[in-house]
Amino acid sequence: MQHIQSASVMQTFVLAARREGKRIGAVPTMGYLHDGHASLVRMARAESDIVITTIFVNPLQFAPNEDFTRYPRDFERDWSIAEKAGCDVLFTPSPEEMYPQGFQTNISIGGVSAPFEGVFRPTHFDGVATVVAKLFLLTQPDKAFFGQKDYQQCMVVKKLVRDLAIPLEIVVCPTQRENDGLAMSSRNVYLSAEDRIKSTILWKSLQAAQNLIQQGERHRDRIETILKETLLTMNGLTIDYAAAADADTLEQPTEFAPTQGIVLLLAVRLGATRLIDNLVVR
Ligand code: AMP
């Protein structure tokens, strides 16, 4: 596996590979890799000649009160996980490399960025769209691999690609979970032992709402009530949102049509840790 840190070296490398007709797969991450990330790399390996994993903790997508400085980092471990999963190039630019002095561009996407995460983290998706656009230009992938774990992020990135006619395909990969259902996340290391046990309630509440929908419930209110009631059986947990929305548009009708895909979206706080999860019911 090669290690590249310079943006210009990355771009030169990839332009040469493209001239040779190589298919490039990119997996953008913030590092502290786990099996969720590894599943993306494996998927990229299966569909590309050259797999580039990027590790960049993007300051633009963190608000000043968020966990940018304490975000977990472990380069040695990341190297070994990426290599085992079949990565060819690990691209780890510094903030100065990504945002050199005088950097003034911001990409802001309307619509899908506004609800849910957009309400609680108002500048987050601008940061995501801006860094993802730059990473796409630096790595020039044919396909870029993202996790369904960050459902709204996938929608924002797809919108970016469609609106700006960026010539690549976004591949959305299934959420990898721990045995007890907790979605894998770099932030899970923040959880105390007690909160780690409580965190299984997210998956339980998604499943409870899924069961209700599968029994024929289409009223959004009733679906959201079971999500919230299940979550609140755990004390010490705060709900940012627990919502049901159209899986394709994120619109929230009073009642879903029989054939309408529904995405259940959760964001909760346990102690100082914020967890998100989702489940699509079609
Ligand atoms: P992050 O490092 O958290 O920014 O995540 C990098 C990529 O990995 C994003 O596309 C995430 O959606 C994806 N990802 C994170 N956790 C998981 C998971 N548990 N299963 C699948 N993909 C994931």
Side-chain angles (χ1 to χ4, degrees), residues 15 23 38 50 80 102 128 133 138 162 175 185 194 204 226 228 250 275:
L15 289 172
R23 293 167 307 154
I50 295 178
S80 134
V128 169
L138 293 176
R162 207 175 309 131
T175 303
S185 164
E194 194 187 336
K204 287 186 189 130
I226 196 161
K228 288 176 190 158
L250 297 187
L275 300 173

Side-chain angles (χ1 to χ4, degrees), residues 206-217 264 281:
L206 290 170
Q207 287 178 305
Q210 171 176 251
N211 285 341
L212 193 70
I213 296 168
Q214 285 171 343
Q215 285 159 25
E217 185 59 76
L264 306 166
V281 188

Side-chain angles (χ1 to χ4, degrees), residues 28-30 34 36-37 40 146-147 149-150 153 174-176 184:
T29 81
M30 296 205 300
H34 49 65
H37 299 112
L40 269 48
F146 289 83
K149 158 84 183 0
D150 297 277
Q153 171 170 282
T175 303
Q176 303 298 309
M184 291 180 182

